[in-house]
């Protein structure tokens, strides 16, 4: 068993019959590290789509865990499609874990699920989550319980201990393995995880992201104009990056990539070709409409305040 | 631009209430967004409860849970029981179980209604610091998260307590539509772990961030719909004004009639006295002339308040749009 010296020991251990002193390299010369495998392993099973609210909920319940508990578990709810599972909600379930045994409050889980069902009847139990880095033996027991509640439950892990400096989100399904009839075991096979957002969620996340920048981790809800300013600044940044790239390609520093070129063509074609006078007249009529609305609103405001004074007389 | 007064909602500088600022966790924001997105497409409003705690003069909202929609089949659905069970269960997992307010989604700003007033009054009566969070999903979809926190002013609280909604009561307390609600500033705060999560999401997200804010087209039905709502409200308002005018006209007419009747009576009495006959008994005048019912002033106030809130939002939106277009104009000649 050898380790790759360049990856500092996080490569997959391979038996000596399969490799020489270094782990095999892919066609592009990258070392087979564990992370690489996670991203590219063949995946048998549905694609798991997670909404950000689920992850935030899990992180929050981890922060509120009881004294002495190293991890929290809970149920995840969502909808099942043919090829994918969409996880939209979750709730934590109290449990006790020690060296030899694990106790999960099943009654509680059932109750909570009933309550949640009243609000969103379309959500079903699709699996369970646990915080922490790896899968323990206790997880197998818990997984067995959940397979009674849902078909082929999904096990989601959120790495709150921040191993590898990242908070990894992983999803697994269980599969039988071993010799049938003799020792049968359970293996957790990984699934691809995708983050999906509703439009409004995306906007919410953008706003929440701004709190990361400030030192006290707070942020007031900005006024409209300030947000327009930030949006415009972002678009400007994107344009400067694109321009810099084009300059590099033209001066020969970077090899031109055809797909990028095609995207650029799309971008330029999107700007509609309108003669300048038409454009101006369109803008002007738009402004006229808005000015009219402004005038009307001012009028209405004056009207109500007048009415108020008259009535109170 | 004409200077704009924050009518309908008094500015937060003059707050003398126990709550000066609201601190919301990112989780609550996400949950509210999700709740509306999933359950709110059909009916107009979705509601839920806010949980948290009070720290000095800040109200911290740390979690929330949604309320199921009201459906006719659930005649035996017990709201209170649902709430109690939910809070009890949340307590087991160490989530703050203190009720500090409630949230509601709104449709183009039309949230000022009698129901809202009653609910908020009962909340504020029970818990001093509670607020109602209004989430506007349509404005959020346009690019900026629209979440506002409102409380009833102390004056309005007094009126609701005495249930004296007549014109004199309102005049006594000097409550105009400007002093009905007060807005409390909101601040979003995230813990360290959630910040890490947000950075992760930012790295991995495949959906580009939305730039709806910069979209110039006001033809997207938002402006039209807002204007329609505005017209409806103005219609309500004018009907109310007409009612009030007829009432005042009726009262004055009645006063006149009363005077005339009294005068005639007196004349007759003097005539009879001069003839030596007993005077006619003084009839109970008030029974003869029943004063017309003054229209309930509360509704007027509510309509006016709602109207002014909608107008405010409108004004802000229009101002900002004109500004945007004006800026854009500079690029056109080139």
């Amino acid at each position: 068993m050898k380790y790759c010296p360049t990856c500092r020991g996080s490569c997959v251990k391979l038996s000596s019959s399969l490799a020489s002193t270094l782990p095999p390299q892919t066609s592009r010369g990258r070392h087979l590290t564990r992370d690489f495998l996670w991203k590219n392993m063949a995946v048998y099973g549905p694609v798991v789509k997670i909404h950000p609210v689920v992850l935030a909920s899990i992180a929050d319940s981890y922060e509120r865990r009881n004294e002495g508990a190293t991890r929290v578990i809970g149920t995840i709810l969502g909808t099942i499609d043919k090829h994918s599972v969409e996880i939209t909600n979750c709730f934590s379930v109290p449990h006790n874990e020690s060296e030899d045994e694990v106790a999960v409050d099943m009654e509680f889980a059932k109750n909570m699920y009933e309550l949640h069902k009243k609000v969103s009847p379309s959500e079903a139990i699709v699996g369970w989550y646990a915080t922490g880095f790896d899968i323990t033996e206790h997880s197998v027991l818990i997984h067995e319980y959940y397979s009674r509640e849902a078909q082929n439950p999904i096990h989601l892990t959120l790495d709150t201990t921040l191993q590898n400096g990242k908070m990894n989100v992983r999803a697994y399904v269980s599969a039988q393995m071993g010799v049938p009839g003799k020792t049968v075991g359970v293996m957790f096979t990984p699934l691809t995880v995708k983050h999906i957002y509703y439009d409004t969620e995306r906007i919410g996340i953008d706003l929440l992201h701004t709190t990361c920048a400030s030192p006290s981790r707070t942020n007031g809800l900005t006024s409209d104009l300030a947000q327009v300013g930030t949006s415009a600044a972002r678009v400007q940044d994107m344009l400067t990056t694109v321009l810099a790239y084009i300059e590099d390609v033209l001066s020969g520093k970077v090899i031109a990539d055809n797909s990028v070129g095609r995207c650029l063509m799309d971008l330029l074609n999107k700007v509609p070709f309108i003669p300048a006078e038409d454009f101006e007249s369109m803008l002007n009529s738009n402004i006229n409409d808005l000015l009219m609305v402004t005038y009307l609103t001012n009028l209405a405001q004056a009207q109500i305040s007048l009415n108020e004074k008259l009535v109170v007389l | 631009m004409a200077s704009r007064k924050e009518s309908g909602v008094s500015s937060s500088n003059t707050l003398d209430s126990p709550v000066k600022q609201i601190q919301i966790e990112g989780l609550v924001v996400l949950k509210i967004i999700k709740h509306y997105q999933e359950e709110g497409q059909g009916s107009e409003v979705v509601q839920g409860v806010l949980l948290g705690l009070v720290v000095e003069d800040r109200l911290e909202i740390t979690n929330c849970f949604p309320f199921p929609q009201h459906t006719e089949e659930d005649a035996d659905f017990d709201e209170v029981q649902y709430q109690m069970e939910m809070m009890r269960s949340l307590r087991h997992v160490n989530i703050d179980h203190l009720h500090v307010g409630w949230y509601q989604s709104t449709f183009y700003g039309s949230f000022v209604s009698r129901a809202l007033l009653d609910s908020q009054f009962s909340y504020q009566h029970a818990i001093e610091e509670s607020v109602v969070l209004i989430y506007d999903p349509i404005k959020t979809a346009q690019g900026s998260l629209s979440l506002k926190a409102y409380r009833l002013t102390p004056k309005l609280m007094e009126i609701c307590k005495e249930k004296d909604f007549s014109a004199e009561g309102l005049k006594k307390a000097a409550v105009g539509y400007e002093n009905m609600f007060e807005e409390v500033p909101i601040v979003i705060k995230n813990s360290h772990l959630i910040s890490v999560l947000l950075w992760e999401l930012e790295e991995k997200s495949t959906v580009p961030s939305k730039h709806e804010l910069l979209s110039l087209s006001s033809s997207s039905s938002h402006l039209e719909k807002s204007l329609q709502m505005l017209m409806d409200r103005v219609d309500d308002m004018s009907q109310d004004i007409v009612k009030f005018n007829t009432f005042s006209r009726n009262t004055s007419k009645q006063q006149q009639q009363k005077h005339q009747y009294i005068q005639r009576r007196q004349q007759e009495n003097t005539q009879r006295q001069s003839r030596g006959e007993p005077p006619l008994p003084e009839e109970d005048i008030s029974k003869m002339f029943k004063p017309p019912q003054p229209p309930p002033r509360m509704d007027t106030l509510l309509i006016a308040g709602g109207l002014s809130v909608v107008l405010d939002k409108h004004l802000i939106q229009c101002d900002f749009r004109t500004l945007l277009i004006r800026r854009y104009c500079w690029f056109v000649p080139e």
Side-chain angles (χ1 to χ4, degrees):
Chain A
M1 307 271 194
K2 298 287 179 179
Y3 293 91
C4 163
T6 54
C7 300
R8 281 191 238 127
S10 58
C11 284
V12 174
K13 297 181 214 171
L14 294 168
S15 71
S16 45
S17 60
L18 284 175
S20 54
T21 53
L22 287 177
Q25 291 180 320
T26 61
S27 55
R28 288 222 188 130
R30 294 171 60 181
H31 288 278
L32 276 179
T33 60
R34 188 178 262 155
D35 276 335
F36 183 76
L37 275 179
W38 278 127
K39 285 189 206 137
N40 293 316
M41 262 205 271
V43 160
Y44 302 108
V47 173
V48 176
K49 300 190 195 153
I50 308 188
H51 281 268
V53 65
V54 175
L55 300 171
S57 241
I58 299 178
D60 182 68
S61 46
Y62 177 73
E63 283 174 355
R64 291 171 184 278
R65 65 191 184 285
N66 287 319
E67 290 239 14
T70 41
R71 60 179 198 162
V72 271
I73 67 166
T75 316
I76 43 180
L77 310 167
T79 45
I80 305 188
D81 237 350
K82 250 174 69 169
H83 298 293
S84 63
V85 176
E86 193 170 325
I87 303 183
T88 49
N89 206 348
C90 68
F91 57 83
S92 73
V93 174
H95 84 301
N96 287 319
E97 211 170 291
S98 61
E99 281 289 329
D100 347 314
E101 60 166 21
V102 64
V104 177
D105 195 345
M106 310 297 190
E107 269 302 309
F108 181 90
K110 275 209 190 57
N111 268 342
M112 276 296 253
Y113 178 53
E114 291 299 312
L115 289 175
H116 275 266
K117 242 178 115 121
K118 290 204 180 120
V119 179
S120 15
S122 57
E123 282 180 351
I125 299 186
V126 295
W128 64 292
Y129 71 80
T131 60
F133 182 53
D134 247 338
I135 307 181
T136 63
E137 302 96 31
H138 300 315
S139 312
V140 180
L141 291 167
I142 306 178
H143 199 83
E144 217 181 319
Y145 165 69
Y146 273 100
S147 41
R148 263 178 273 150
E149 299 280 324
Q151 267 186 352
N152 208 9
I154 303 217
H155 174 45
L156 189 69
T157 53
L158 182 70
D159 185 11
T160 43
T161 51
L162 300 176
Q163 293 243 358
N164 304 334
K166 279 176 175 271
M167 188 188 267
N168 278 314
V169 180
R170 303 224 165 97
Y172 308 90
V173 248
S174 74
Q176 296 274 333
M177 73 164 181
V179 183
K182 296 213 182 137
T183 41
V184 187
V186 163
M187 181 175 72
F188 284 100
T189 43
L191 305 167
T192 26
V193 169
K194 283 205 178 125
H195 298 278
I196 77 171
Y197 308 85
Y198 298 126
D199 287 347
T200 37
E201 269 183 346
R202 184 80 190 120
I203 294 174
I205 291 272
D206 282 342
L207 185 66
L208 294 179
H209 196 67
T210 55
T211 70
C212 297
S214 86
S216 62
R217 305 186 316 272
T218 61
N219 187 31
L221 293 180
T222 47
S223 74
D224 285 334
L225 281 180
Q227 282 176 314
V228 173
T230 37
S231 284
R234 241 184 296 178
V235 174
Q236 202 171 20
D237 282 340
M238 289 199 269
L239 282 175
T240 33
T241 329
V242 170
L243 277 175
Y245 172 78
I246 296 178
E247 300 271 325
D248 282 343
V249 169
L250 282 179
S251 61
K253 275 191 243 167
V254 175
I255 315 167
D257 193 352
N258 277 337
S259 46
V260 176
R262 259 176 258 137
C263 291
L264 284 173
M265 271 304 283
D266 280 341
L267 179 72
L268 288 173
N269 286 334
K270 276 212 176 105
V271 178
F273 182 70
I274 313 176
E277 307 93 33
D278 287 348
F279 204 48
E280 261 192 59
S281 53
M282 279 198 307
L283 283 180
N284 281 334
S285 55
N286 218 350
I287 293 194
N288 279 339
D289 289 337
L290 291 175
L291 285 176
M292 175 192 78
V293 175
T294 320
Y295 172 71
L296 281 175
T297 43
N298 277 329
L299 192 64
Q301 265 185 338
Q303 169 75 30
I304 0 173
S305 34
L306 258 183
N307 183 47
E308 192 69 28
K309 297 289 179 286
L310 284 176
V311 159
V312 170
L313 265 182
Chain B
M1 300 283 169
S3 66
R4 208 181 312 127
K5 185 166 74 90
E6 279 266 19
S7 55
V9 181
S10 58
S11 71
S12 50
N13 298 334
T14 57
L15 267 188
D16 50 354
S17 67
V19 175
K20 300 242 181 339
Q21 199 188 61
I22 304 224
Q23 195 174 281
I24 305 191
E25 293 226 350
L27 178 65
V28 175
V29 174
L30 286 176
K31 272 189 155 173
I32 296 182
I33 294 179
K34 166 204 177 292
H35 184 210
Y36 177 78
Q37 192 74 31
E38 292 191 348
E39 308 297 329
Q41 302 300 349
S43 64
E44 292 209 347
V45 289
V46 293
Q47 298 178 334
V49 169
L50 298 170
L51 308 163
L53 61 153
V54 179
V55 174
E56 298 162 350
D57 62 353
R58 275 199 324 261
L59 180 67
E60 293 193 9
I61 302 181
T62 51
N63 216 322
C64 67
F65 61 84
F67 249 20
Q69 307 273 21
H70 289 288
T71 45
E72 286 83 39
E73 307 101 52
D74 289 348
D76 52 351
F77 175 70
D78 196 358
E79 267 192 23
V80 180
Q81 199 202 12
Y82 170 82
Q83 216 169 308
M84 286 289 118
E85 282 223 25
M86 202 56 159
M87 309 229 301
R88 216 181 312 144
S89 315
L90 290 176
R91 194 159 30 142
H92 278 299
V93 283
N94 298 336
I95 294 182
D96 296 324
H97 55 279
L98 286 174
H99 222 149
V100 291
W102 58 301
Y103 68 84
Q104 181 176 309
S105 75
T106 176
F107 185 67
Y108 282 115
S110 63
F111 57 89
V112 180
S113 70
R114 198 52 192 267
L116 183 107
L117 192 70
D118 289 336
S119 305
Q120 181 58 15
F121 170 66
S122 48
Y123 261 93
Q124 239 171 285
H125 195 59
I127 305 160
E128 177 80 45
E129 302 91 359
S130 55
V131 295
V132 53
L133 268 187
I134 303 287
Y135 165 66
D136 189 349
I138 295 157
K139 187 139 186 287
T140 310
Q142 281 191 307
S144 62
L145 178 66
S146 156
L147 204 60
K148 291 201 153 53
Y150 290 112
R151 290 167 50 81
L152 300 181
T153 46
K155 293 188 185 156
L156 197 61
M157 288 284 294
E158 276 182 27
I159 295 190
C160 286
K161 238 183 276 191
E162 291 159 35
K163 299 214 191 306
D164 178 14
F165 293 137
S166 66
E168 295 84 29
L170 289 175
K171 215 192 296 193
K172 223 190 324 165
V175 166
Y177 66 91
E178 294 130 343
N179 304 342
M180 284 176 63
F181 293 104
E182 54 193 13
E183 186 178 337
V184 190
I186 299 182
V187 155
I188 301 186
K189 183 174 163 111
N190 283 321
S191 65
H192 289 291
L193 205 57
I194 305 258
S195 302
V196 174
L197 183 68
L198 287 173
W199 281 113
E200 280 285 324
L201 286 177
E202 189 68 22
E203 231 182 55
K204 296 204 184 127
S205 79
T206 47
V207 176
S209 49
K210 295 254 146 190
H211 290 292
E212 285 294 323
L213 214 52
L214 295 176
S215 140
L216 272 187
S217 62
S218 57
S219 62
S220 60
S221 51
H222 301 299
L223 201 62
E224 286 177 17
K225 280 233 182 78
S226 317
L227 267 182
Q228 264 181 333
M229 297 288 309
L230 198 70
M231 291 197 302
D232 288 337
R233 302 237 119 211
V234 171
D235 276 339
D236 286 338
M237 186 81 189
S238 57
Q239 274 182 353
D240 208 70
I241 293 178
V242 161
K243 254 193 273 172
F244 186 74
N245 282 342
T246 36
F247 159 69
S248 43
R249 236 180 294 139
N250 283 346
T251 348
S252 55
K253 235 193 294 177
Q254 217 191 41
Q255 292 280 35
Q256 266 189 336
Q257 283 180 340
K258 254 200 229 174
H259 275 293
Q260 282 180 347
Y261 179 80
I262 293 178
Q263 275 185 338
R264 251 185 297 140
R265 261 295 148 104
Q266 281 182 340
Q267 270 185 343
E268 272 197 41
N269 276 342
T270 40
Q271 281 184 348
R272 283 187 177 220
Q273 272 183 345
S274 59
R275 275 183 277 167
E277 287 168 17
L280 288 170
E282 284 288 323
E283 284 178 14
D284 197 5
I285 304 198
S286 48
K287 257 202 230 143
M288 286 185 50
F289 295 95
K290 247 192 248 155
Q293 279 284 352
R297 300 296 307 143
M298 207 53 206
D299 293 336
T300 326
L301 216 53
L302 280 172
I303 295 177
L307 192 55
S308 65
V309 165
V310 170
L311 285 175
D312 246 353
K313 281 170 108 142
H314 228 95
L315 213 50
I316 294 176
Q317 224 199 11
C318 290
D319 279 345
F320 133 76
R321 281 218 127 93
T322 17
L323 217 69
L324 189 59
I325 292 188
R326 285 228 176 103
R327 288 280 171 275
Y328 204 75
C329 271
W330 292 352
F331 299 111
V332 169
E334 290 144 52

